Amino acid sequence: MEHSLERTYFVETVRADFPILNQEHHPGVPLVYLDNAASSQKPRQVIEAMDDYYRRYNANVHRGIHKLSEQATAAYEGARVKIRKFINAASKREIVYTRGTTESINLVAQTWGRANLKPGDVVLSTVMEHHSNIVPWQILAAEKGFTIKYIPLHEDGTLDMDAYTRLLDEGGVKLVTVMHVSNVLGTINPVADMARQAHAAGALILVDGAQSTPHMPVDVQALDADFFAFSGHKMLGPTGIGVLYGKRALLEAMPPWMGGGDMIASVRLEGSTWNELPYKFEAGTPSIAEAIGLGCAVDYLMNIGMETVHAHECAVTEYALERLAEVPDLTVYGPDVSQKGAVAAFTFAGIHPHDLAQMLDAEGIAVRAGHHCAMPLHHYLGLAASTRASFYLYNRLSEVDALVEALYKARKAFYR
Ligand code: 7TS
């Protein structure tokens, strides 16, 4: 098949915004960054917005009546408005800043979960989850005595939706908690359909959007997600900032998690009352520069358009799957491109995934090797580890060629 990116945008224009991409990884070897599922690179606009905050209007938010604090508050809250629009939440009060997906899920576990889950209840998840959507529930289950069940997969790495229906029918399910896109298989889960079924069974649904929000249009109202979590650093923003979206009525009913400044309405020595949403869940001085940076990242993505970003990534992923299929002794995991995000995890018969990643690094290619914080999934697939290439809006088709060339080179070195 002929491949070109003409149906998307001029990738070189995008790349020019990312200073880190225009460097050599080793002397004479250009960087090919294919570890986007772990963290994305940042455009100069995001770096400059954060720099500008520190240089011109650094101050705490929601406190001072001086001009700098007002400016900082306006930028910090302005970012929240942008994020609301980006995921189509009904209100900015439904956008809670956290440190990232992990903290967002822990927040739901420790507030909604702690208040609502009891022995006999079931939290229904999947075997493909990231540890951040397994361990918080295990910690709470040990304390509260509820059960966790896991939806199995088909051979191709898609969810077994018949098993999902059956597990819901077994009863007791209070929460379905599922990743939108797998960080290993790339599987795009049918979360809107899953939400419909969960709601019909009287359960809520939490969607881990860490690997979807950066890469495709997300509409939390269309998905009818009760909770939706994502991280700024995977979507061109900085580390240390992420979001928990929650339906307003649910967030209103939930107790706070961390106590401290900003999350209270009044404090007496005898007891305290809570601030309105979303501040009830935002104790202490927040990540101000980071929120501003994330707002700028959202501007950057919306300016291109998430449909366009997704189309570009589909083209790169389709090409990558086609080229990887040519390589002898290489197994790629997960479904075909029609149900797959911009992720290709693979193993090479006889080569340890870490050794392979090291050899690719020597060729300038940054990939991740290991269990990708999905040990249960690797166990389920009968693997200890895999090597993963993951793509984003700035990747070129020629970078896929560089990856495949390096794989052939590694194969030759190992099978000699
Ligand atoms: N959920 C999914 C689906 C993820 O891929 C990740 C991070 C997280 C949650 C946690 O996000 P955090 O920002 O709170 O750490 N995934 C990866 C990865 O695949 N490689 O490095 C981090």
Tab-separated table of all heavy atoms in Angstrom, residues 145-199:
chain	number	residue	atom	x	y	z
A	145	GLY	N	-13.460	-5.018	51.989
A	145	GLY	CA	-14.000	-6.360	51.816
A	145	GLY	C	-14.873	-6.563	50.594
A	145	GLY	O	-15.623	-7.531	50.515
A	146	PHE	N	-14.786	-5.686	49.601
A	146	PHE	CA	-15.516	-5.944	48.351
A	146	PHE	C	-14.669	-6.824	47.437
A	146	PHE	O	-13.500	-7.109	47.724
A	146	PHE	CB	-15.939	-4.631	47.657
A	146	PHE	CG	-14.802	-3.720	47.270
A	146	PHE	CD1	-14.131	-3.869	46.055
A	146	PHE	CD2	-14.386	-2.694	48.121
A	146	PHE	CE1	-13.089	-3.032	45.705
A	146	PHE	CE2	-13.343	-1.845	47.774
A	146	PHE	CZ	-12.694	-2.023	46.572
A	147	THR	N	-15.270	-7.256	46.324
A	147	THR	CA	-14.589	-8.168	45.396
A	147	THR	C	-14.221	-7.421	44.119
A	147	THR	O	-14.979	-6.558	43.671
A	147	THR	CB	-15.555	-9.324	45.031
A	147	THR	OG1	-15.995	-9.915	46.257
A	147	THR	CG2	-14.907	-10.374	44.157
A	148	ILE	N	-13.073	-7.780	43.544
A	148	ILE	CA	-12.701	-7.225	42.233
A	148	ILE	C	-12.750	-8.356	41.211
A	148	ILE	O	-12.190	-9.435	41.459
A	148	ILE	CB	-11.286	-6.616	42.238
A	148	ILE	CG1	-11.109	-5.666	43.432
A	148	ILE	CG2	-11.009	-5.875	40.929
A	148	ILE	CD1	-9.676	-5.168	43.605
A	149	LYS	N	-13.443	-8.122	40.113
A	149	LYS	CA	-13.474	-9.109	39.023
A	149	LYS	C	-12.897	-8.464	37.771
A	149	LYS	O	-12.966	-7.244	37.620
A	149	LYS	CB	-14.914	-9.568	38.770
A	149	LYS	CG	-15.525	-10.360	39.924
A	149	LYS	CD	-16.925	-10.832	39.560
A	149	LYS	CE	-17.570	-11.585	40.727
A	149	LYS	NZ	-18.987	-11.926	40.411
A	150	TYR	N	-12.374	-9.309	36.879
A	150	TYR	CA	-11.671	-8.801	35.701
A	150	TYR	C	-12.247	-9.389	34.417
A	150	TYR	O	-12.398	-10.609	34.291
A	150	TYR	CB	-10.180	-9.132	35.791
A	150	TYR	CG	-9.529	-8.502	37.010
A	150	TYR	CD1	-9.363	-9.232	38.194
A	150	TYR	CD2	-9.108	-7.177	36.982
A	150	TYR	CE1	-8.777	-8.649	39.314
A	150	TYR	CE2	-8.522	-6.582	38.104
A	150	TYR	CZ	-8.362	-7.323	39.264
A	150	TYR	OH	-7.798	-6.750	40.369
A	151	ILE	N	-12.537	-8.531	33.481
A	151	ILE	CA	-13.054	-8.970	32.174
A	151	ILE	C	-11.886	-9.553	31.370
A	151	ILE	O	-10.842	-8.894	31.235
A	151	ILE	CB	-13.677	-7.789	31.408
A	151	ILE	CG1	-14.714	-7.067	32.272
A	151	ILE	CG2	-14.286	-8.250	30.080
A	151	ILE	CD1	-15.101	-5.690	31.757
A	152	PRO	N	-12.054	-10.773	30.813
A	152	PRO	CA	-10.967	-11.377	30.017
A	152	PRO	C	-10.918	-10.804	28.590
A	152	PRO	O	-11.777	-10.017	28.206
A	152	PRO	CB	-11.344	-12.860	29.995
A	152	PRO	CG	-12.831	-12.873	30.141
A	152	PRO	CD	-13.217	-11.659	30.939
A	153	LEU	N	-9.924	-11.248	27.847
A	153	LEU	CA	-9.706	-10.745	26.482
A	153	LEU	C	-9.901	-11.855	25.458
A	153	LEU	O	-9.734	-13.034	25.764
A	153	LEU	CB	-8.277	-10.218	26.332
A	153	LEU	CG	-7.748	-9.260	27.386
A	153	LEU	CD1	-6.345	-8.790	27.010
A	153	LEU	CD2	-8.683	-8.069	27.552
A	154	HIS	N	-10.191	-11.434	24.223
A	154	HIS	CA	-10.117	-12.355	23.089
A	154	HIS	C	-8.655	-12.492	22.671
A	154	HIS	O	-7.806	-11.680	23.060
A	154	HIS	CB	-10.931	-11.802	21.907
A	154	HIS	CG	-12.410	-11.781	22.141
A	154	HIS	ND1	-13.136	-12.917	22.406
A	154	HIS	CD2	-13.303	-10.754	22.142
A	154	HIS	CE1	-14.409	-12.606	22.553
A	154	HIS	NE2	-14.547	-11.303	22.409
A	155	GLU	N	-8.406	-13.477	21.812
A	155	GLU	CA	-7.060	-13.713	21.262
A	155	GLU	C	-6.407	-12.447	20.711
A	155	GLU	O	-5.210	-12.235	20.857
A	155	GLU	CB	-7.152	-14.705	20.078
A	155	GLU	CG	-7.075	-16.176	20.405
A	155	GLU	CD	-5.723	-16.609	20.938
A	155	GLU	OE1	-4.769	-16.657	20.137
A	155	GLU	OE2	-5.631	-16.904	22.138
A	156	ASP	N	-7.237	-11.617	20.046
A	156	ASP	CA	-6.675	-10.446	19.357
A	156	ASP	C	-6.446	-9.253	20.292
A	156	ASP	O	-6.076	-8.178	19.841
A	156	ASP	CB	-7.570	-10.037	18.173
A	156	ASP	CG	-8.917	-9.479	18.624
A	156	ASP	OD1	-9.237	-9.566	19.826
A	156	ASP	OD2	-9.648	-8.943	17.761
A	157	GLY	N	-6.700	-9.463	21.587
A	157	GLY	CA	-6.427	-8.375	22.529
A	157	GLY	C	-7.583	-7.403	22.705
A	157	GLY	O	-7.412	-6.338	23.291
A	158	THR	N	-8.755	-7.775	22.193
A	158	THR	CA	-9.945	-6.952	22.457
A	158	THR	C	-10.679	-7.548	23.655
A	158	THR	O	-10.506	-8.725	23.988
A	158	THR	CB	-10.892	-6.907	21.234
A	158	THR	OG1	-11.246	-8.243	20.879
A	158	THR	CG2	-10.226	-6.224	20.057
A	159	LEU	N	-11.518	-6.718	24.278
A	159	LEU	CA	-12.256	-7.196	25.448
A	159	LEU	C	-13.331	-8.196	25.039
A	159	LEU	O	-13.989	-8.023	24.006
A	159	LEU	CB	-12.964	-6.019	26.131
A	159	LEU	CG	-12.157	-5.158	27.099
A	159	LEU	CD1	-13.066	-4.110	27.718
A	159	LEU	CD2	-11.501	-6.013	28.182
A	160	ASP	N	-13.526	-9.192	25.871
A	160	ASP	CA	-14.599	-10.164	25.657
A	160	ASP	C	-15.891	-9.545	26.193
A	160	ASP	O	-16.178	-9.608	27.391
A	160	ASP	CB	-14.255	-11.462	26.392
A	160	ASP	CG	-15.308	-12.544	26.179
A	160	ASP	OD1	-16.437	-12.206	25.769
A	160	ASP	OD2	-14.995	-13.718	26.446
A	161	MET	N	-16.653	-8.949	25.283
A	161	MET	CA	-17.838	-8.197	25.714
A	161	MET	C	-18.973	-9.119	26.178
A	161	MET	O	-19.830	-8.693	26.962
A	161	MET	CB	-18.312	-7.271	24.581
A	161	MET	CG	-17.351	-6.130	24.315
A	161	MET	SD	-17.246	-4.975	25.723
A	161	MET	CE	-18.767	-4.056	25.492
A	162	ASP	N	-18.970	-10.384	25.698
A	162	ASP	CA	-19.968	-11.340	26.217
A	162	ASP	C	-19.665	-11.624	27.691
A	162	ASP	O	-20.580	-11.714	28.514
A	162	ASP	CB	-19.937	-12.650	25.420
A	162	ASP	CG	-20.436	-12.440	24.003
A	162	ASP	OD1	-21.212	-11.480	23.795
A	162	ASP	OD2	-20.037	-13.206	23.112
A	163	ALA	N	-18.376	-11.760	27.981
A	163	ALA	CA	-17.993	-11.983	29.382
A	163	ALA	C	-18.350	-10.771	30.228
A	163	ALA	O	-18.775	-10.912	31.380
A	163	ALA	CB	-16.487	-12.267	29.469
A	164	TYR	N	-18.204	-9.584	29.654
A	164	TYR	CA	-18.578	-8.351	30.380
A	164	TYR	C	-20.055	-8.408	30.765
A	164	TYR	O	-20.418	-8.186	31.926
A	164	TYR	CB	-18.282	-7.137	29.489
A	164	TYR	CG	-18.745	-5.814	30.078
A	164	TYR	CD1	-18.391	-5.436	31.373
A	164	TYR	CD2	-19.516	-4.917	29.322
A	164	TYR	CE1	-18.801	-4.220	31.906
A	164	TYR	CE2	-19.928	-3.702	29.849
A	164	TYR	CZ	-19.569	-3.361	31.150
A	164	TYR	OH	-19.983	-2.163	31.677
A	165	THR	N	-20.899	-8.739	29.785
A	165	THR	CA	-22.340	-8.823	30.047
A	165	THR	C	-22.619	-9.866	31.132
A	165	THR	O	-23.405	-9.625	32.049
A	165	THR	CB	-23.086	-9.206	28.744
A	165	THR	OG1	-22.703	-8.262	27.741
A	165	THR	CG2	-24.585	-9.162	28.919
A	166	ARG	N	-21.943	-11.015	31.017
A	166	ARG	CA	-22.149	-12.088	32.001
A	166	ARG	C	-21.742	-11.635	33.405
A	166	ARG	O	-22.453	-11.858	34.380
A	166	ARG	CB	-21.305	-13.319	31.624
A	166	ARG	CG	-22.044	-14.330	30.767
A	166	ARG	CD	-21.353	-15.704	30.792
A	166	ARG	NE	-19.917	-15.667	30.582
A	166	ARG	CZ	-19.328	-15.588	29.389
A	166	ARG	NH1	-20.052	-15.518	28.283
A	166	ARG	NH2	-18.012	-15.574	29.288
A	167	LEU	N	-20.591	-10.982	33.488
A	167	LEU	CA	-20.089	-10.531	34.800
A	167	LEU	C	-21.028	-9.480	35.413
A	167	LEU	O	-21.249	-9.466	36.624
A	167	LEU	CB	-18.662	-9.984	34.668
A	167	LEU	CG	-17.595	-11.064	34.449
A	167	LEU	CD1	-16.303	-10.476	33.881
A	167	LEU	CD2	-17.300	-11.801	35.758
A	168	LEU	N	-21.596	-8.632	34.554
A	168	LEU	CA	-22.583	-7.666	35.064
A	168	LEU	C	-23.823	-8.397	35.568
A	168	LEU	O	-24.381	-8.062	36.619
A	168	LEU	CB	-22.997	-6.671	33.962
A	168	LEU	CG	-22.056	-5.506	33.655
A	168	LEU	CD1	-22.590	-4.702	32.473
A	168	LEU	CD2	-21.858	-4.588	34.863
A	169	ASP	N	-24.222	-9.431	34.820
A	169	ASP	CA	-25.430	-10.206	35.184
A	169	ASP	C	-25.264	-10.963	36.502
A	169	ASP	O	-26.244	-11.279	37.161
A	169	ASP	CB	-25.797	-11.205	34.067
A	169	ASP	CG	-26.381	-10.489	32.854
A	169	ASP	OD1	-26.733	-9.298	32.987
A	169	ASP	OD2	-26.468	-11.115	31.773
A	170	GLU	N	-24.017	-11.284	36.829
A	170	GLU	CA	-23.781	-11.996	38.108
A	170	GLU	C	-24.186	-11.136	39.301
A	170	GLU	O	-24.397	-11.638	40.405
A	170	GLU	CB	-22.300	-12.404	38.236
A	170	GLU	CG	-21.925	-13.601	37.369
A	170	GLU	CD	-20.427	-13.902	37.436
A	170	GLU	OE1	-19.723	-13.346	38.310
A	170	GLU	OE2	-19.953	-14.678	36.584
A	171	GLY	N	-24.277	-9.833	39.076
A	171	GLY	CA	-24.818	-8.924	40.099
A	171	GLY	C	-23.769	-8.349	41.033
A	171	GLY	O	-22.606	-8.783	41.058
A	172	GLY	N	-24.183	-7.347	41.776
A	172	GLY	CA	-23.330	-6.745	42.799
A	172	GLY	C	-22.375	-5.680	42.289
A	172	GLY	O	-21.645	-5.067	43.082
A	173	VAL	N	-22.349	-5.470	40.960
A	173	VAL	CA	-21.346	-4.540	40.420
A	173	VAL	C	-21.742	-3.089	40.745
A	173	VAL	O	-22.806	-2.632	40.355
A	173	VAL	CB	-21.164	-4.725	38.887
A	173	VAL	CG1	-20.123	-3.739	38.354
A	173	VAL	CG2	-20.762	-6.163	38.560
A	174	LYS	N	-20.856	-2.401	41.432
A	174	LYS	CA	-21.100	-0.998	41.799
A	174	LYS	C	-20.305	-0.050	40.908
A	174	LYS	O	-20.693	1.101	40.723
A	174	LYS	CB	-20.706	-0.762	43.270
A	174	LYS	CG	-21.634	-1.411	44.266
A	174	LYS	CD	-22.898	-0.572	44.413
A	174	LYS	CE	-24.091	-1.342	44.911
A	174	LYS	NZ	-23.881	-2.131	46.111
A	175	LEU	N	-19.177	-0.572	40.415
A	175	LEU	CA	-18.306	0.273	39.588
A	175	LEU	C	-17.636	-0.575	38.514
A	175	LEU	O	-17.120	-1.653	38.802
A	175	LEU	CB	-17.209	0.929	40.453
A	175	LEU	CG	-16.214	1.798	39.675
A	175	LEU	CD1	-16.838	3.124	39.247
A	175	LEU	CD2	-14.951	2.073	40.494
A	176	VAL	N	-17.688	-0.057	37.277
A	176	VAL	CA	-16.871	-0.617	36.199
A	176	VAL	C	-15.721	0.359	36.007
A	176	VAL	O	-15.950	1.568	35.876
A	176	VAL	CB	-17.683	-0.759	34.898
A	176	VAL	CG1	-16.789	-1.213	33.745
A	176	VAL	CG2	-18.846	-1.718	35.099
A	177	THR	N	-14.479	-0.123	36.042
A	177	THR	CA	-13.346	0.777	35.880
A	177	THR	C	-12.426	0.226	34.798
A	177	THR	O	-11.891	-0.870	34.912
A	177	THR	CB	-12.654	1.052	37.240
A	177	THR	OG1	-11.674	2.063	37.038
A	177	THR	CG2	-12.050	-0.184	37.896
A	178	VAL	N	-12.323	0.960	33.711
A	178	VAL	CA	-11.731	0.409	32.493
A	178	VAL	C	-10.902	1.463	31.761
A	178	VAL	O	-11.239	2.652	31.771
A	178	VAL	CB	-12.864	-0.130	31.569
A	178	VAL	CG1	-13.846	0.965	31.171
A	178	VAL	CG2	-12.327	-0.786	30.340
A	179	MET	N	-9.815	1.012	31.148
A	179	MET	CA	-9.016	1.944	30.349
A	179	MET	C	-9.682	2.169	28.995
A	179	MET	O	-10.286	1.260	28.424
A	179	MET	CB	-7.576	1.445	30.191
A	179	MET	CG	-7.452	0.174	29.412
A	179	MET	SD	-5.915	-0.777	29.719
A	179	MET	CE	-4.660	0.415	30.010
A	180	HIS	N	-9.572	3.384	28.498
A	180	HIS	CA	-10.157	3.725	27.191
A	180	HIS	C	-9.314	3.116	26.077
A	180	HIS	O	-9.831	2.490	25.164
A	180	HIS	CB	-10.219	5.256	27.066
A	180	HIS	CG	-11.138	5.759	26.001
A	180	HIS	ND1	-11.407	7.085	25.833
A	180	HIS	CD2	-11.846	5.116	25.039
A	180	HIS	CE1	-12.251	7.239	24.814
A	180	HIS	NE2	-12.523	6.055	24.323
A	181	VAL	N	-7.992	3.299	26.186
A	181	VAL	CA	-7.056	2.733	25.208
A	181	VAL	C	-5.930	2.063	25.991
A	181	VAL	O	-5.371	2.656	26.919
A	181	VAL	CB	-6.482	3.832	24.288
A	181	VAL	CG1	-5.394	3.270	23.376
A	181	VAL	CG2	-7.581	4.474	23.441
A	182	SER	N	-5.598	0.842	25.591
A	182	SER	CA	-4.524	0.102	26.281
A	182	SER	C	-3.157	0.679	25.941
A	182	SER	O	-2.860	0.938	24.769
A	182	SER	CB	-4.570	-1.374	25.883
A	182	SER	OG	-3.344	-2.000	26.220
A	183	ASN	N	-2.316	0.820	26.954
A	183	ASN	CA	-0.961	1.343	26.735
A	183	ASN	C	-0.003	0.274	26.228
A	183	ASN	O	1.153	0.572	25.957
A	183	ASN	CB	-0.411	1.970	28.034
A	183	ASN	CG	-0.265	0.961	29.149
A	183	ASN	OD1	-1.086	0.068	29.288
A	183	ASN	ND2	0.778	1.075	29.943
A	184	VAL	N	-0.492	-0.964	26.085
A	184	VAL	CA	0.358	-2.049	25.568
A	184	VAL	C	-0.225	-2.597	24.258
A	184	VAL	O	0.439	-2.609	23.229
A	184	VAL	CB	0.495	-3.193	26.603
A	184	VAL	CG1	1.334	-4.330	26.037
A	184	VAL	CG2	1.096	-2.666	27.901
A	185	LEU	N	-1.465	-3.027	24.320
A	185	LEU	CA	-2.109	-3.624	23.144
A	185	LEU	C	-2.590	-2.555	22.168
A	185	LEU	O	-2.792	-2.819	20.983
A	185	LEU	CB	-3.303	-4.466	23.579
A	185	LEU	CG	-2.983	-5.604	24.556
A	185	LEU	CD1	-4.266	-6.165	25.152
A	185	LEU	CD2	-2.192	-6.684	23.845
A	186	GLY	N	-2.828	-1.368	22.691
A	186	GLY	CA	-3.386	-0.298	21.864
A	186	GLY	C	-4.898	-0.409	21.696
A	186	GLY	O	-5.521	0.473	21.102
A	187	THR	N	-5.476	-1.477	22.203
A	187	THR	CA	-6.919	-1.715	22.045
A	187	THR	C	-7.743	-0.493	22.456
A	187	THR	O	-7.556	0.045	23.551
A	187	THR	CB	-7.360	-2.898	22.943
A	187	THR	OG1	-6.438	-3.962	22.757
A	187	THR	CG2	-8.780	-3.332	22.604
A	188	ILE	N	-8.636	-0.081	21.561
A	188	ILE	CA	-9.585	0.988	21.895
A	188	ILE	C	-10.842	0.301	22.403
A	188	ILE	O	-11.533	-0.401	21.650
A	188	ILE	CB	-9.900	1.871	20.665
A	188	ILE	CG1	-8.605	2.483	20.106
A	188	ILE	CG2	-10.905	2.973	21.033
A	188	ILE	CD1	-8.768	3.217	18.775
A	189	ASN	N	-11.112	0.447	23.684
A	189	ASN	CA	-12.264	-0.247	24.270
A	189	ASN	C	-13.567	0.501	23.997
A	189	ASN	O	-13.576	1.732	23.966
A	189	ASN	CB	-12.046	-0.418	25.780
A	189	ASN	CG	-10.971	-1.438	26.078
A	189	ASN	OD1	-10.906	-2.479	25.430
A	189	ASN	ND2	-10.103	-1.141	27.023
A	190	PRO	N	-14.667	-0.261	23.824
A	190	PRO	CA	-15.959	0.369	23.502
A	190	PRO	C	-16.609	0.959	24.761
A	190	PRO	O	-17.618	0.446	25.245
A	190	PRO	CB	-16.770	-0.801	22.924
A	190	PRO	CG	-16.207	-2.009	23.594
A	190	PRO	CD	-14.753	-1.728	23.866
A	191	VAL	N	-16.023	2.038	25.272
A	191	VAL	CA	-16.433	2.517	26.596
A	191	VAL	C	-17.844	3.114	26.610
A	191	VAL	O	-18.511	3.063	27.643
A	191	VAL	CB	-15.398	3.483	27.229
A	191	VAL	CG1	-14.158	2.731	27.661
A	191	VAL	CG2	-15.050	4.612	26.313
A	192	ALA	N	-18.308	3.671	25.489
A	192	ALA	CA	-19.677	4.221	25.471
A	192	ALA	C	-20.678	3.071	25.650
A	192	ALA	O	-21.632	3.168	26.438
A	192	ALA	CB	-19.940	4.971	24.167
A	193	ASP	N	-20.422	1.987	24.937
A	193	ASP	CA	-21.274	0.798	25.048
A	193	ASP	C	-21.173	0.194	26.460
A	193	ASP	O	-22.178	-0.211	27.062
A	193	ASP	CB	-20.807	-0.214	23.986
A	193	ASP	CG	-21.733	-1.412	23.896
A	193	ASP	OD1	-22.927	-1.251	24.214
A	193	ASP	OD2	-21.255	-2.509	23.540
A	194	MET	N	-19.957	0.192	26.980
A	194	MET	CA	-19.748	-0.356	28.333
A	194	MET	C	-20.466	0.507	29.377
A	194	MET	O	-21.013	-0.006	30.358
A	194	MET	CB	-18.253	-0.454	28.650
A	194	MET	CG	-17.540	-1.471	27.774
A	194	MET	SD	-15.792	-1.596	28.144
A	194	MET	CE	-15.846	-2.670	29.585
A	195	ALA	N	-20.461	1.817	29.165
A	195	ALA	CA	-21.140	2.733	30.092
A	195	ALA	C	-22.644	2.467	30.077
A	195	ALA	O	-23.291	2.413	31.128
A	195	ALA	CB	-20.845	4.179	29.704
A	196	ARG	N	-23.177	2.276	28.884
A	196	ARG	CA	-24.627	2.012	28.752
A	196	ARG	C	-25.000	0.760	29.539
A	196	ARG	O	-25.949	0.751	30.323
A	196	ARG	CB	-24.963	1.854	27.261
A	196	ARG	CG	-26.388	2.164	26.887
A	196	ARG	CD	-26.623	2.075	25.383
A	196	ARG	NE	-25.793	1.112	24.671
A	196	ARG	CZ	-25.941	-0.202	24.714
A	196	ARG	NH1	-26.889	-0.743	25.438
A	196	ARG	NH2	-25.126	-1.002	24.033
A	197	GLN	N	-24.210	-0.278	29.347
A	197	GLN	CA	-24.491	-1.539	30.055
A	197	GLN	C	-24.290	-1.412	31.563
A	197	GLN	O	-25.057	-1.958	32.349
A	197	GLN	CB	-23.591	-2.651	29.527
A	197	GLN	CG	-23.933	-3.114	28.130
A	197	GLN	CD	-23.290	-4.479	27.855
A	197	GLN	OE1	-23.419	-5.418	28.638
A	197	GLN	NE2	-22.592	-4.580	26.745
A	198	ALA	N	-23.234	-0.698	31.954
A	198	ALA	CA	-22.961	-0.505	33.388
A	198	ALA	C	-24.130	0.218	34.033
A	198	ALA	O	-24.632	-0.202	35.094
A	198	ALA	CB	-21.668	0.284	33.578
A	199	HIS	N	-24.588	1.277	33.386
A	199	HIS	CA	-25.684	2.071	33.954
A	199	HIS	C	-26.965	1.248	34.044
A	199	HIS	O	-27.706	1.341	35.031
A	199	HIS	CB	-25.890	3.351	33.136
A	199	HIS	CG	-24.740	4.305	33.264
A	199	HIS	ND1	-24.345	5.160	32.259
A	199	HIS	CD2	-23.869	4.517	34.290
A	199	HIS	CE1	-23.291	5.863	32.667
A	199	HIS	NE2	-22.984	5.480	33.887
